[in-house]
Amino acid sequence: MPLRARVAAALVLLYAQPVSRIGRLTINDVTDDQTTVTVQLGDPPSPLPEPVAELMRAYILSRQHLPYASSRSSHWLFPGRQPGQPMNPVSLQTHLREIGVPPQRGRASAIRQLVLQAPAPSSRRHSAITTRPPPG
């Protein structure tokens, strides 16, 4: 599987990011301190778990071998064919579908999983709610 598609798929599936958002990431949005790789999807940056962090490292190193000379020096994480432009979101979606990751369903699945991992609401907040009729 192409490394670019694997990295993009990981960002869709781990962080429920739309393809249009992933396509606009720049090299500066990825930080590697040799221990942790993070991606600036919000504040604070999101850490990439292993083995995704290693995939990201390999992908960034592989960008020097991209087929378009203008892409090699591009600041976009996923550079497009046009100089200075990111990869077209439709093209990125096509790459994801080719490796078996439908972007919209993958994103929806990731959102469902994140909701399941969220802490349950505190019952203390709801303790003021009562079924007794008001005094009167």
Side-chain angles (χ1 to χ4, degrees), residues 44-88:
S46 301
L48 292 176
E50 291 296 343
V52 178
E54 195 55 42
L55 279 178
M56 181 65 80
R57 287 181 183 110
Y59 172 68
I60 289 175
L61 288 174
S62 76
R63 291 177 76 252
Q64 63 189 350
H65 303 294
L66 290 171
Y68 308 105
S70 62
S71 296
R72 294 179 198 135
S73 62
S74 175
H75 71 281
W76 298 108
L77 185 59
F78 301 102
R81 291 183 180 183
Q82 300 297 320
Q85 296 296 312
M87 187 176 198
N88 183 305

Side-chain angles (χ1 to χ4, degrees), residues 5-112:
R6 291 167 54 197
V7 168
L11 295 174
V12 168
L13 296 174
L14 286 174
Y15 299 108
Q17 293 298 299
V19 172
S20 58
R21 171 73 176 103
I22 291 169
R24 305 228 24 110
L25 290 171
T26 67
I27 288 295
N28 295 330
D29 290 324
V30 179
T31 305
D32 183 1
D33 67 7
Q34 306 305 316
T35 304
T36 305
V37 177
T38 61
V39 179
Q40 189 73 42
L41 299 170
D43 193 28
S46 301
L48 292 176
E50 291 296 343
V52 178
E54 195 55 42
L55 279 178
M56 181 65 80
R57 287 181 183 110
Y59 172 68
I60 289 175
L61 288 174
S62 76
R63 291 177 76 252
Q64 63 189 350
H65 303 294
L66 290 171
Y68 308 105
S70 62
S71 296
R72 294 179 198 135
S73 62
S74 175
H75 71 281
W76 298 108
L77 185 59
F78 301 102
R81 291 183 180 183
Q82 300 297 320
Q85 296 296 312
M87 187 176 198
N88 183 305
V90 174
S91 297
L92 194 51
Q93 285 178 340
T94 300
H95 285 301
L96 293 178
R97 283 190 192 99
E98 286 172 356
I99 67 167
V101 177
Q104 283 82 13
R105 282 189 282 168
R107 184 169 180 248
S109 176
I111 289 170
R112 277 193 300 277

